[in-house]
Amino acid sequence: MPTYTAPVQDSLFILNDVLNIERYNNLPGFADATPDMLEAILGEAGKMSAEVLQPLNEVGDKEGCVWTEGDGFDNTVKTPTGFKEAYDLYSESGWGALPFPEEYGGQGLPATLNAVVQEYVSSANMAFGMYPGLTAGAAAALVEHASEEQKQAYVPKMLSGEWSGTMNLTEPHCGTDLGMLRTKAARNDDGSFAITGQKIWISAGEHDMSSNIIHLVIARIEGEPEGTKGISLFVCPKYILDEDGNPGERNKLSCGSLEHKMGINGNATCVMNYEGAKAFLVGEENKGLAAMFVMMNEARLGVAVQGLAQSEVAYQNAADWARDRVQGRALTGAKYPDQKADPIIVHPDIRRVLLTIRSFNEAARALVLWTALKGDLSHRSDDEDEKQNADDIMGLLTPVLKGVLTDKGFDNTVMAQQVFGGTGYTKDQGVEQFVRDARIAMIYEGANGIQALDLVGRKLPSKGGRAVQAYFKEVGKLCSEHKDDEAMKPYVEPLSKALGDLQAATMWLVQNGMANPNNAGAASTDYMHLFGLVAMGHMWVLMAKTAQDKLSAGANGSTDYMNNKLLTGRFFAERMMPETRLLLKRIETGADTMMEMDAAAF
């Protein structure tokens, strides 16, 4: 059976030493994020994830959710054994309220800290983590765009876990192209709206863990323009609130069925039918897509964390197996001559696999937290230039994080499975579940091809390229600062070369993408991954410099950790960073060959 231990030491190293978040203790919420407080919070989050959530991961996969037809709109979904009790514990412990404003029942702590907790939860039980994760995204959209009355009515009980939340976008005929949606909103005499239509693939759309489910639904008000310009956002509760703000009349919406999926079986993925359901406009009419993007961006960062999380738990179990599994002899001679064979950890190819995954995990974790800190600064800083820069960088990196971390996260679960050999293909060790669960992260919240197109088509040219120019300047400055430091050369030189490749690729897109948009489309995924390698190489330079400084200062009992950090970073620099040159060459081939074949020939 799989095991999981939260990487608390690594998270604290990034937060305290690499990011030095104490320097922001003048900003709202950061004063409470002292090193002692961080250690206490992450220790408890790790304990809950390992002891409560991880044992339910296999249970959720085997049992799944059970849909039962009821009277009228009262179709029900039963979650797997133990999920309700775990959800209650999660809620009572306040995990869902961590980064939200105190005036709505939140704890006001940095979202950066919440990103760590979500990694642990997703590693332990990805399907479970989606229930509170979707609620947090819905609450964030309401905090940003709802009226004060709506915020007070819904957000506090969502943060407490008493109520949960969803996002309803996709319809049977449209996924990414939301302008094609058919769900309609008819005006009621009392100022509310009646929603009619069907939404599919709605995570946590119906379940038995909360007393009300607050659906955020995009729909087109009757008579409004076609396309994305006519989309509005509505809050549509499962139970309409009475005069006292409590769940009252059952709304005219229901879960028509559950999807049968490859993975995340413990999460209820629902077909939602709206049959004149009472709903209330959030924000302005026809401005729903902008409001929903708050939730979508929250979700995309959460999905990026899922990619890292599955990679981490798969790595831990593969490393344990490699240390214990006895098979063959080391190429340089028996390492354990008293045994019939050596543990497979002695083989270079096993170490290649493990270090590939580990070096990605540690860089990805740092990149998630570095970006999450930018998000905090964009909301909490009192320096307008800092806020603007942080918002620019976070917007630029969101598609990179979502696309690269989930692509590589899935690849890494497959590599971890390979370490187990034939046993990994069976259900005996549980690693095959990591592969199945990780696969969805590449698809939902905008398939990764869409993330790549968003990066090259929207994020790069946005505001005259302000964000990408600022990022290039920041990475270039870091390389320049350490170029003469002999100890840093193994990390800095590969990053400098990779940055040059990324800048060359960006210039190629500027010169060739506008002339022929297919060139941008053909290059987009390779460009996204090139950008991801530079961003992770950037993190490795920051971590390597921090580790070296800690060692010079005596390391305070963490010498082995710091030395291993430096070794892992060297592996990434030597084995992973050179891929940027290959990606650049692919980008420069353009779209001609790719687009030449007639569609009927495929």
Side-chain angles (χ1 to χ4, degrees):
M1 182 172 176
T3 60
Y4 172 66
T5 302
V8 175
Q9 183 181 18
D10 204 50
S11 302
L12 291 173
F13 169 72
I14 296 166
L15 292 172
N16 292 327
D17 300 317
V18 179
L19 300 180
N20 188 22
I21 68 168
E22 269 198 299
R23 62 184 160 150
Y24 300 108
N25 62 11
N26 62 309
L27 302 182
F30 279 83
D32 294 328
T34 63
D36 288 343
M37 179 63 76
L38 290 177
E39 186 171 1
I41 291 174
L42 298 192
E44 285 301 311
K47 182 179 179 181
M48 174 197 63
S49 298
E51 296 180 5
V52 178
L53 302 182
Q54 192 278 331
L56 295 175
N57 196 41
E58 186 177 10
V59 175
D61 187 54
K62 287 181 176 179
E63 290 187 10
C65 296
V66 179
W67 177 88
T68 301
E69 186 172 8
D71 296 329
F73 298 99
D74 288 326
N75 299 342
T76 62
V77 173
K78 182 182 182 301
T79 52
T81 302
F83 270 46
K84 175 68 167 70
E85 292 76 12
Y87 180 85
D88 289 343
L89 178 62
Y90 182 98
S91 300
E92 290 164 7
S93 301
W95 296 112
L98 214 62
F100 286 92
E102 293 180 67
E103 59 263 38
Y104 303 117
Q107 298 181 36
L109 288 166
T112 309
L113 178 57
N114 188 56
V116 183
V117 175
Q118 294 315 306
E119 182 202 333
Y120 298 173
V121 170
S122 292
S123 279
N125 194 326
M126 180 171 159
F128 174 90
M130 292 172 67
Y131 292 99
L134 267 297
T135 302
L142 290 173
V143 168
E144 187 79 16
H145 290 284
S147 67
E148 187 60 30
E149 182 181 7
Q150 289 172 331
K151 293 176 191 178
Q152 294 293 346
Y154 296 107
V155 174
K157 290 188 178 181
M158 293 170 74
L159 300 188
S160 72
E162 185 177 346
W163 299 347
S164 59
T166 72
M167 57 189 293
N168 284 236
L169 284 78
T170 306
E171 299 182 9
H173 61 285
C174 75
T176 302
D177 191 354
L178 295 173
M180 295 174 61
L181 68 81
R182 296 174 184 158
T183 300
K184 296 293 185 182
R187 299 179 190 273
N188 294 326
D189 292 339
D190 63 359
S192 66
F193 291 81
I195 303 289
T196 301
Q198 186 179 79
K199 301 289 185 177
I200 63 171
W201 306 336
I202 307 306
S203 300
E206 177 61 45
H207 56 83
D208 57 359
M209 297 195 297
S210 64
S211 62
N212 203 1
I213 301 176
I214 311 305
H215 300 285
L216 290 191
V217 185
I218 56 170
R220 193 182 317 281
I221 298 173
E222 290 183 338
E224 294 302 322
E226 293 297 314
T228 57
K229 292 182 179 179
I231 292 176
S232 297
L233 177 64
F234 300 89
V235 58
C236 188
K238 176 180 174 180
Y239 292 100
I240 302 168
L241 306 191
D242 62 22
E243 293 181 356
D244 297 321
N246 297 315
E249 178 187 351
R250 182 69 163 86
N251 212 345
K252 295 177 181 179
L253 61 92
S254 65
C255 171
S257 64
L258 291 177
E259 304 289 357
H260 301 283
K261 310 179 300 259
M262 176 179 175
I264 55 168
N265 293 322
N267 190 264
T269 307
C270 303
V271 174
M272 298 300 299
N273 297 320
Y274 293 85
E275 302 176 47
K278 192 167 189 175
F280 306 90
L281 182 70
V282 176
E284 298 179 46
E285 294 184 11
N286 301 332
K287 302 292 185 182
L289 205 56
M292 185 56 87
F293 263 113
V294 172
M295 189 169 186
M296 290 171 68
N297 285 333
E298 287 268 332
R300 285 171 177 171
L301 290 172
V303 172
V305 170
Q306 289 178 344
L308 162 62
Q310 292 304 292
S311 181
E312 173 64 29
V313 70
Y315 165 79
Q316 289 188 18
N317 284 272
D320 287 345
W321 178 263
R323 285 191 295 267
D324 294 339
R325 176 66 166 171
V326 174
Q327 200 90 164
R329 287 296 188 189
L331 298 176
T332 53
K335 300 300 181 185
Y336 295 84
D338 56 326
Q339 299 181 16
K340 291 184 178 180
D342 290 329
I344 62 173
I345 193 72
V346 304
H347 301 305
D349 197 58
I350 295 294
R351 287 172 171 249
R352 174 190 64 82
V353 169
L354 294 176
L355 279 169
T356 296
I357 304 172
R358 177 172 172 161
S359 64
F360 164 85
N361 291 349
E362 295 183 15
R365 181 172 298 116
L367 183 58
V368 164
L369 299 184
W370 186 84
T371 308
L373 179 58
K374 295 289 186 183
D376 274 323
L377 295 178
S378 73
H379 289 100
R380 307 186 191 210
S381 177
D382 53 9
D383 183 318
E384 289 304 317
D385 289 339
E386 183 176 55
K387 288 182 71 169
Q388 175 187 287
N389 175 264
D391 188 61
D392 285 350
I393 296 297
M394 188 175 186
L396 175 70
L397 287 180
T398 294
V400 176
L401 281 162
K402 197 283 181 181
V404 174
L405 267 60
T406 60
D407 273 355
K408 292 300 182 183
F410 174 73
D411 290 347
N412 290 346
T413 63
V414 174
M415 285 195 290
Q417 184 184 35
Q418 190 75 11
V419 171
F420 285 81
T423 303
Y425 194 68
T426 70
K427 293 184 180 293
D428 296 345
Q429 297 298 322
V431 68
E432 57 83 36
Q433 185 187 344
F434 303 145
V435 176
R436 290 186 289 107
D437 286 353
R439 185 65 183 88
I440 185 57
M442 301 163 71
I443 299 172
Y444 60 17
E445 304 310 334
N448 286 354
I450 299 299
Q451 303 301 321
L453 288 173
D454 179 47
L455 175 64
V456 302
R458 293 179 64 242
K459 299 303 172 60
L460 289 187
S462 177
K463 300 180 178 69
R466 186 174 73 192
V468 73
Q469 291 171 25
Y471 185 72
F472 288 168
K473 182 178 180 181
E474 182 167 351
V475 178
K477 180 182 178 184
L478 180 69
C479 292
S480 179
E481 287 173 351
H482 300 297
K483 65 183 176 64
D484 297 325
D485 185 339
E486 199 65 32
M488 286 297 294
K489 280 188 178 180
Y491 313 95
V492 172
E493 287 187 353
L495 177 59
S496 295
K497 292 177 182 177
L499 178 61
D501 291 339
L502 181 58
Q503 290 171 319
T506 305
M507 185 57 65
W508 188 92
L509 283 171
V510 170
Q511 295 170 346
N512 295 276
M514 291 184 66
N516 180 3
N518 280 337
N519 282 328
S524 59
T525 291
D526 288 323
Y527 184 85
M528 178 180 72
H529 278 277
L530 200 169
F531 208 125
L533 280 168
V534 170
M536 287 188 281
H538 176 199
M539 294 301 104
W540 270 118
V541 169
L542 294 176
M543 289 190 289
K545 178 58 178 171
T546 304
Q548 288 176 357
D549 289 346
K550 297 287 283 186
L551 285 168
S552 297
N556 193 27
S558 59
T559 299
D560 288 346
Y561 172 84
M562 297 301 167
N563 283 327
N564 288 333
K565 178 68 70 175
L566 292 170
L567 276 171
T568 307
R570 272 173 42 204
F571 178 91
F572 189 90
E574 293 169 1
R575 301 282 299 209
M576 313 298 284
M577 293 298 287
E579 291 179 15
T580 61
R581 183 52 53 93
L582 169 64
L583 292 167
L584 174 60
K585 292 301 180 184
R586 286 179 180 168
I587 289 166
E588 291 174 342
T589 63
D592 290 349
T593 303
M594 194 177 294
M595 302 306 295
E596 185 174 343
M597 187 177 290
D598 188 83
F602 279 88

